[in-house]
Amino acid sequence: MHVSNSAELSRAAAAVAPGQDVTVRVPATSANLGPGFDSLGLAVGLYDTVRVRTSGEPGTLVRITGEGAGTLPTDETHLVVRTIRLTVESAGYALQGLELDAENIIPHGRGLGSSASAIVSGVLAGNALLPAGHRLDAAALLDLCSRLEGHPDNVAPALAGGLAISWEEEGAFRSVTAPVHPDIIPVAAVPSNELSTESARGLLPDTVPHADAAANSGRSALLIHALAAQPAMLLPGTVDFLHQDYRAAAMEPSAALVRHLRENGVAAVISGAGPTVMALAAGQVQAQEAQSLINGHLEAAGTTQSWRVLRLSVDRDGARVEEHLR
Ligand SMILES: Nc1ncnc2c1ncn2[C@@H]1O[C@H](COP(=O)(O)OP(=O)(O)O)[C@@H](O)[C@H]1O
Ligand SMILES: N[C@@H](CCOP(=O)(O)O)C(=O)O
């Protein structure tokens, strides 16, 4: 993520109105899905919620429950606070007092898009604080969130829900939402250890062989078809040539779990930059089977981490903004 401190921004002119009260709920996301490195992402039914209130007095108050309570900063350096202020100030407005209540459910540093969800929360909350007529439209919101996160594949589905296909064109990030077959059930195995996306990106090579790029193109095209219309093709459609092998040494227990699930016919991938393992089950029976395979493998492997196994839903609505009247 690339969010600068608001102090680096030029002084804003008009002040946003005090006494505003906005709630934003944003889903977690699983990016890449195998071959869709930096371009595909799926929104899943785990949500962070922030409630933001403005006042005329300077200062920032942050209260956090759930993930990151006691470890995340509660001052101006908090990611959502920084993003709110940046959004408001970039539009030419000043923001005085800010009170933030964050209810964090999405695990951090596990490949479920927590930083993207925090950025989307901040940008949407900041945008809602601006006067009507000065707010960013959907395309500008996607571009700003992508720029702050550094890549679009988490923020796009977090904003819109469902499966997002994203790309960069003429200097702007763009995205479309593609269909997801109703039978598909994401099952996540989330280990207790964190791996920052930044360090996982540092493991990738600058270039890849042309044959790998060609093979990856075929699989990512097949994946879109499998997700939309033919879940039986998810296993071949989730083969990746661009990132998982390069990162495997940093998450060997996750890589071993992916291999085990795939050997047993379940379309498993590393979620985002890892270390969460995401199985895309084709129906209830396979979702149950995936859970049993995960539990059996983790018991037999006796890894030092503890794991949480979550049967999730596909979120089809994306981020929600509620403006409360006061
Ligand atoms: N809800 C949140 N509020 C504040 N900061 C957050 C929040 N979620 C994530 N972050 C920041 O983002 C970091 C994780 O980002 P990252 O390494 O990209 O992993 P992830 O795969 O979870 O997005 C956290 O360690 C924290 O600094
Ligand atoms: N395409 C990115 C996705 C990172 O997702 P996250 O959930 O780990 O932040 C990458 O693979 O680096």
Side-chain angles (χ1 to χ4, degrees), residues 1 29 48 50 64 67-68 72-73 77-82 100 102-119 121 149 151 154 194-199 271-275:
M1 75 199 104
T29 50
D48 277 358
V50 296
I64 302 170
E67 294 287 331
L72 287 176
T77 64
H78 184 277
L79 181 57
V80 179
V81 173
R82 276 192 285 154
L100 180 89
E103 192 188 313
N104 295 340
I105 303 295
I106 305 171
H108 294 172
R110 311 290 166 72
L112 287 167
S114 73
S115 62
S117 297
I119 285 168
S121 298
E149 172 71 351
H151 46 94
N154 295 101
E194 295 186 24
L195 175 64
S196 84
T197 303
E198 196 181 350
S199 55
S271 183

Side-chain angles (χ1 to χ4, degrees), residues 115-141:
S115 62
S117 297
I119 285 168
V120 167
S121 298
V123 167
L124 292 182
N127 200 44
L129 298 177
L130 294 169
H134 294 249
R135 295 181 181 176
L136 299 175
D137 64 15
L141 289 169

Side-chain angles (χ1 to χ4, degrees), residues 163-199:
L163 171 68
I165 307 173
S166 307
W167 69 100
E168 195 175 5
E169 186 179 338
E170 294 174 356
F173 285 103
R174 305 194 58 192
S175 178
V176 290
T177 304
V180 180
H181 195 283
D183 284 358
I184 292 173
I185 302 172
V187 179
V190 187
S192 52
N193 64 303
E194 295 186 24
L195 175 64
S196 84
T197 303
E198 196 181 350
S199 55

